[in-house]
Amino acid sequence: MSSPHVLLLGAPGAGKGTQSKRIADRFGVDHITTGDALRNNKEMDISELGFEYDTPGGFMDAGELVPDEVVNEIVVTALGNADGFVLDGYPRNIEQAEFLDDRTALDAVVRLGVSDDKLIDRLTGRRVCPSCGVNYHVEFDQPEETGICDECGTDLEQREDDTEETVRERLRVFAENTEPVIEYYRDSDAYVEIDGEGSPDEVWEQVEAAIEARNP
Ligand code: AMP
């Protein structure tokens, strides 16, 4: 089995982050996530590009997509260093999908489907550890001590874009820009749709099997 090239598609809150980590561990591939890369570079000066905001953070806090010029650059660098990979949060529009197509082939394109109501509950209740990156939920996945990370004892935080208003905007942007990306891949042999509403373990069983079947 060679190192698979995996793309994970799904709305914000569909579980891409959780499943990507498992894919990276199980198949020994790089986890390439544009959301994390941009969060680490929120204050980068992109004023010379002449867009509405001067930093990636401006777009992110508004729930909008960061310009392709910025995001594509991150992905090119990450792909150059990777043998196998799981891409999480990219491509988010057709232009990014075409850009990716010109650079690499994909073995598995896994779509995680979750209803909007469930996505809103998951995202607005999500709490993250700023130190080790573990996710919790105020209702469905509480840490042992409220507000404290089980793994490293750091105070948990709510992501700035996980407020209800921004979440609704992110879901609207997803429907407008990223639903067409799903159509772009739907007819390919690599494409598989998985019900993302089960527990992380239930979803993982199907994700793992789908990748194994496409990367024998
Ligand atoms: P995520 O953590 O994947 O939900 O991404 C958080 C935010 O980062 C998004 O709401 C966008 O503002 C930005 N972002 C992440 N990935 C991309 C991408 N592929 N294209 C444009 N913006 C992105």
Side-chain angles (χ1 to χ4, degrees), residues 113-124:
V114 177
S115 70
D116 271 10
D117 284 350
K118 224 176 183 131
L119 293 171
I120 290 169
D121 282 352
R122 282 187 183 179
L123 289 168
T124 55

Side-chain angles (χ1 to χ4, degrees), residues 71-90:
V71 182
N72 288 344
E73 185 75 23
I74 291 172
V75 170
V76 166
T77 306
L79 287 177
N81 297 327
D83 180 10
F85 57 81
V86 51
L87 262 176
D88 159 11
Y90 181 98

